[in-house]
Amino acid sequence: MFTVPEHVRQTATTLLSTLKPLPLDTPNLPPMLPGGLPFVGHASELRSNPVAMVQRGRDMFGDIFCVRLPGTLGVVMTGHAAQEKYFRFRDDEVSQREAYQLMTPVFGKGIAYDAEPQIMKEQLGFFHGALRESRLRTYTDGFIAESEHFFGQWGQTGEVNMLEVGNEVTLYTSTRCLLGDKMRFKLSKEFSELYADLEGGINVISFFAPYLPLPAMRRRDKARVKMVELIEKIVAERRSDPESHEDILQTLVESSYADGRKLTVDEITGLILTIMFAGHHTSGVTFSWIAVLLAQHPHIFRRLVAEQREILGDRERITYDDLQKMKLLEATIKEALRLYPPIILVMRRVLKAFDFQGKHVPEGSMIIASPAAGQRVPEIFPEPHRFDPDRFMPGREEDKRWPYGHIAFGAGRHRCMGIVFAQLQLRALWSHLLRNFEFDLLDPSYPVDYTNLIVGPRPPCRIRYRRVQQPAGA
């Protein structure tokens, strides 16, 4: 008797679900964005230029409007009141799990978005110990060492693709913090190749059919198996070696659920991949946007160099405490994330219908927030298209006046815990660059690339660097 493979059955179920009628006859729905195509609705526009689509809807209808997506109704919520509503929902009111099924083949069954809310809360809680200040100080030493090693290989002058540089150097810094210094040099190549295959299986198609047997999905699944094998060997070594390790892997090896159960190797691998996907690629593209923005605004670059001199004086070696004092650099990173957030759309499935601004959002629809559009609302951030790090400095602090305005890392209780790690990593990398290099742009424009789910500048993002004669603090 012929048995239908599980992945084919799941694919068929997913694709058939796209044929369900949308609840367009629901009374008092938010207004529908004009346009769209038969069957796929606004998905094509969402794929080609999602921010323009969201902005078009906001210009026409304000804080809330509808779009048609394959098999579901999308409800876009932008503006401070709408974003506050979005990020204040409880887990029994909206579901991340149903919105991000594409991540299950990567993270694993029962891990992160595929876990029940209470289990997911426990799993994310394992990272709290890994992000306490004493660990962050250890990670800072790794960030600084990686900066010196990586950029020390650059010549006196040269041309680089800053998108590639950002992704590579943040992968190395992440590997140090995840698996330790020894594994950084021993496994970086193998780890990065497997990670690239995993990442390649995450695309627009996988949103609607994550188990479709396409080549990219098959490579993703093979890489997941090999990643577990790689991590299993390291975990076995850790459990047989009493040596203390100050990295995230060790935190997971030592962690237990509330019922006392230790994590399996599959769970440890899935949670390592969860933190990688949350922090590595987002930091990589933000690194490249900072390069572009500072080359476009040399007066900000000069102020940042002056901040380095003021804090470090004649010292060349920096510390965790030094990085904490770099307020203009912190504001610059925050402004880059405001203008060019790496995650431009976030989604939740509605479990309980609700009303907002006199409109009804039905159960089963998908609510969508957009950091890319929501962070350029002029009522929240004046002159929203202008690169202005001072908007986050003392005296202005526009993000504190509007706590649901800057949502690049989420907001409220759904704020990503990795924000401190990401900020620290980027500060360490850019502190080194500011003290040792100057930059020029090589291309006439650096447009946004919407072909990937993590959005950065369109390749090649070329920059010319020149090494300065002396470190700026010398």
Side-chain angles (χ1 to χ4, degrees):
M1 181 177 177
F2 176 73
T3 302
V4 178
E6 177 63 21
H7 71 272
V8 174
R9 186 160 50 246
Q10 292 187 50
T11 297
T13 301
T14 304
L15 292 176
L16 285 173
S17 73
T18 66
L19 301 178
K20 293 179 181 179
L22 301 181
L24 299 179
D25 58 349
T26 301
N28 212 28
L29 275 178
M32 177 63 68
L33 184 69
L37 299 171
F39 302 112
V40 298
H42 293 91
S44 178
E45 188 176 0
L46 193 68
R47 184 172 184 268
S48 61
N49 197 333
V51 178
M53 185 200 75
V54 172
Q55 190 60 54
R56 179 164 70 92
R58 179 169 176 79
D59 292 343
M60 294 179 69
F61 303 116
D63 287 2
I64 186 167
F65 62 91
C66 291
V67 295
R68 293 193 300 274
L69 300 175
T72 193
L73 176 72
V75 180
V76 182
M77 304 176 69
T78 58
H80 193 265
Q83 289 162 196
E84 180 175 6
K85 178 76 173 177
Y86 181 98
F87 287 105
R88 280 184 174 272
F89 279 119
R90 300 189 309 270
D91 292 331
D92 63 343
E93 294 174 318
V94 301
S95 171
Q96 295 183 75
R97 181 180 185 179
E98 294 194 36
Y100 293 107
Q101 294 181 16
L102 81 164
M103 300 308 300
T104 299
V106 176
F107 297 158
K109 292 287 186 181
I111 300 170
Y113 296 123
D114 193 63
E116 295 297 329
Q118 181 56 38
I119 297 298
M120 181 177 176
K121 184 177 180 181
E122 279 194 65
Q123 290 175 346
L124 296 181
F126 296 146
F127 293 116
H128 286 304
L131 295 174
R132 63 181 185 269
E133 183 175 315
S134 61
R135 285 288 184 89
L136 290 173
R137 288 180 179 275
T138 299
Y139 302 155
T140 297
D141 292 339
F143 296 154
I144 294 168
E146 190 62 58
S147 301
E148 294 172 350
H149 173 78
F150 186 91
F151 297 115
Q153 300 176 69
W154 283 11
Q156 290 300 312
T157 185
E159 298 178 7
V160 292
N161 178 337
M162 285 300 265
L163 190 59
E164 290 182 353
V165 169
N167 286 331
E168 186 176 359
V169 71
T170 55
L171 179 66
Y172 293 152
T173 54
S174 297
T175 305
R176 280 180 185 261
C177 298
L178 287 168
L179 306 178
D181 289 353
K182 294 179 182 178
M183 293 301 147
R184 147 67 178 95
F185 293 100
K186 184 178 178 181
L187 292 176
S188 281
K189 186 175 187 297
E190 183 178 3
F191 191 89
S192 64
E193 289 173 350
L194 292 174
Y195 184 81
D197 283 344
L198 286 166
E199 193 175 50
I202 301 174
N203 49 50
V204 173
I205 294 174
S206 61
F207 253 114
F208 305 105
Y211 296 95
L212 201 64
L214 298 174
M217 273 61 156
R218 289 173 175 163
R219 287 192 297 271
R220 172 201 66 194
D221 296 341
K222 289 180 181 178
R224 179 64 166 74
V225 172
K226 291 181 180 178
M227 186 71 82
V228 173
E229 294 173 355
L230 184 153
I231 299 297
E232 186 173 29
K233 294 177 183 177
I234 306 173
V235 170
E237 292 175 4
R238 293 287 179 93
R239 286 176 171 164
S240 64
D241 180 4
E243 179 186 352
S244 177
H245 298 272
E246 291 289 319
D247 53 48
I248 293 173
L249 174 62
Q250 190 64 26
T251 298
L252 297 177
V253 169
E254 296 171 355
S255 295
S256 301
Y257 286 99
D259 62 4
R261 182 175 69 83
K262 301 292 284 186
L263 278 69
T264 66
V265 173
D266 189 76
E267 288 173 323
I268 290 173
T269 303
L271 290 174
I272 283 177
L273 292 173
T274 299
I275 198 78
M276 277 292 291
F277 274 85
H280 155 247
H281 207 48
T282 53
S283 294
V285 297
T286 301
F287 174 93
S288 60
W289 278 124
I290 293 170
V292 172
L293 288 165
L294 292 183
Q296 291 173 334
H297 301 84
H299 64 291
I300 300 295
F301 187 96
R302 289 192 293 270
R303 287 178 58 196
L304 287 167
V305 171
E307 181 182 59
Q308 296 292 309
R309 290 172 177 158
E310 180 181 348
I311 292 170
L312 297 176
D314 59 359
R315 287 185 292 117
E316 295 184 20
R317 185 71 178 174
I318 65 173
T319 66
Y320 171 86
D321 292 323
D322 292 327
L323 294 178
Q324 294 295 91
K325 296 174 184 176
M326 297 175 186
K327 299 304 181 183
L328 181 60
L329 182 54
E330 178 185 1
T332 299
I333 295 168
K334 192 178 292 187
E335 178 70 339
L337 284 164
R338 183 190 71 83
L339 287 170
Y340 299 109
I343 306 294
I344 58 173
L345 298 173
V346 290
M347 302 184 186
R348 308 279 191 271
R349 178 76 71 181
V350 177
L351 302 179
K352 294 180 181 179
F354 66 92
D355 295 323
F356 178 73
Q357 292 186 350
K359 301 299 180 182
H360 184 72
V361 179
E363 177 184 335
S365 56
M366 194 79 76
I367 54 172
I368 304 169
S370 173
Q375 294 178 165
R376 294 199 184 208
V377 175
E379 291 78 15
I380 301 174
F381 296 111
E383 297 184 87
H385 306 301
R386 180 170 173 248
F387 177 62
D388 181 12
D390 286 314
R391 69 174 77 246
F392 299 114
M393 294 292 281
R396 289 176 64 180
E397 297 178 312
E398 294 168 4
D399 55 326
K400 291 185 178 179
R401 294 209 308 269
W402 301 95
Y404 291 87
H406 197 292
I407 55 173
F409 280 84
R413 64 191 188 88
H414 288 293
R415 192 172 182 82
C416 176
M417 68 175 65
I419 186 170
V420 175
F421 180 93
Q423 265 272 1
L424 197 61
Q425 177 179 221
L426 288 168
R427 267 185 262 181
L429 294 171
W430 272 100
S431 173
H432 181 90
L433 291 174
L434 289 164
R435 288 178 287 114
N436 290 280
F437 296 94
E438 295 175 344
F439 299 94
D440 293 312
L441 300 173
L442 289 171
D443 299 310
S445 64
Y446 293 77
V448 182
D449 180 12
Y450 294 117
T451 59
N452 297 310
L453 293 182
I454 305 295
V455 175
R458 186 181 300 167
C461 191
R462 298 183 308 144
I463 299 285
R464 179 183 292 111
Y465 68 81
R466 293 184 305 278
R467 189 179 292 274
V468 296
Q469 293 299 314
Q470 294 287 335

